[in-house]
Amino acid sequence: MSAKTAPRWDPGAVPTFWINHASRLLMRHFEQRLRPLEFGMAYLPVVIALEEHGPLLQKQLAEYAHVEQPTMAALLTRMERDGLIQRQPHPDDKRATRISLSAKARERLPQAKAQLEEVAEQATAGLSERERATFMALLRRVVDNLEPASGD
């Protein structure tokens, strides 16, 4: 009697392997480009929310970034250490603190965005506009398939 062997799994034959590999490479390139500006990829949801909405509470920033409060507290501590945010007392609630971008962050943000754009262009070099649109649509479907439904 011969033992059946399980089919060999080839990670490179499934798109999820390549999505993960591309993500890791992108993050490495983004971090390398942002490091000289004293930015990090983890900072971007906070920086963008503050740029778009002005001063916010920690709780609001945690919601924008889709992270828990303790994670946001640690992130804000690092950002304050790096001189990217400022904390001010809330004018109406003495227990609350409003967080805003520092002058340093506002000054460097255009450079950071330009660096991110350069990496995105490098990653999609050789793709036509139609291919880029198709690629984006397919990645969005993958994300939609994996994100929990509303209310979960």
Side-chain angles (χ1 to χ4, degrees):
M1 196 167 160
S2 67
K4 288 187 178 183
T5 59
R8 185 175 168 269
W9 183 65
D10 179 10
V14 294
T16 50
F17 171 83
W18 294 106
I19 291 169
N20 182 56
H21 189 61
S23 176
R24 288 172 177 266
L25 287 171
L26 283 168
M27 290 302 285
R28 185 178 313 144
H29 283 269
F30 286 146
E31 291 290 350
Q32 287 172 347
R33 296 288 192 96
L34 293 175
R35 194 173 302 121
L37 301 170
E38 297 181 62
F39 273 82
M41 285 300 290
Y43 296 177
L44 289 181
V46 171
V47 170
I48 299 303
L50 293 173
E51 179 190 39
E52 290 178 2
H53 303 285
L56 295 169
L57 302 175
Q58 178 177 310
K59 179 181 178 181
Q60 293 170 306
L61 287 168
E63 290 169 6
Y64 280 116
H66 305 287
V67 299
E68 298 295 325
Q69 288 266 13
T71 302
M72 182 54 63
L75 182 62
L76 292 173
T77 297
R78 288 195 311 272
M79 291 180 74
E80 188 173 33
R81 175 202 67 204
D82 293 344
L84 298 174
I85 61 161
Q86 299 170 344
R87 300 176 195 250
Q88 301 95 16
H90 192 285
D92 302 325
D93 183 352
K94 294 194 186 309
R95 298 169 296 158
T97 302
R98 293 179 1 153
I99 295 134
S100 61
L101 289 177
S102 69
K104 174 181 171 179
R106 285 192 301 279
E107 177 186 313
R108 293 182 182 186
L109 187 54
Q111 293 172 275
K113 288 179 178 180
Q115 292 299 317
L116 296 172
E117 185 62 35
E118 285 181 24
V119 172
E121 284 299 316
Q122 178 186 356
T124 56
L127 298 180
S128 69
E129 287 303 314
R130 185 175 181 178
E131 289 171 324
R132 287 178 188 212
T134 299
F135 185 55
M136 289 281 295
L138 292 170
L139 287 173
R140 284 186 178 127
R141 282 176 49 193
V142 169
V143 169
D144 288 345
N145 288 341
L146 295 173
E147 281 188 332
S150 297
D152 281 359

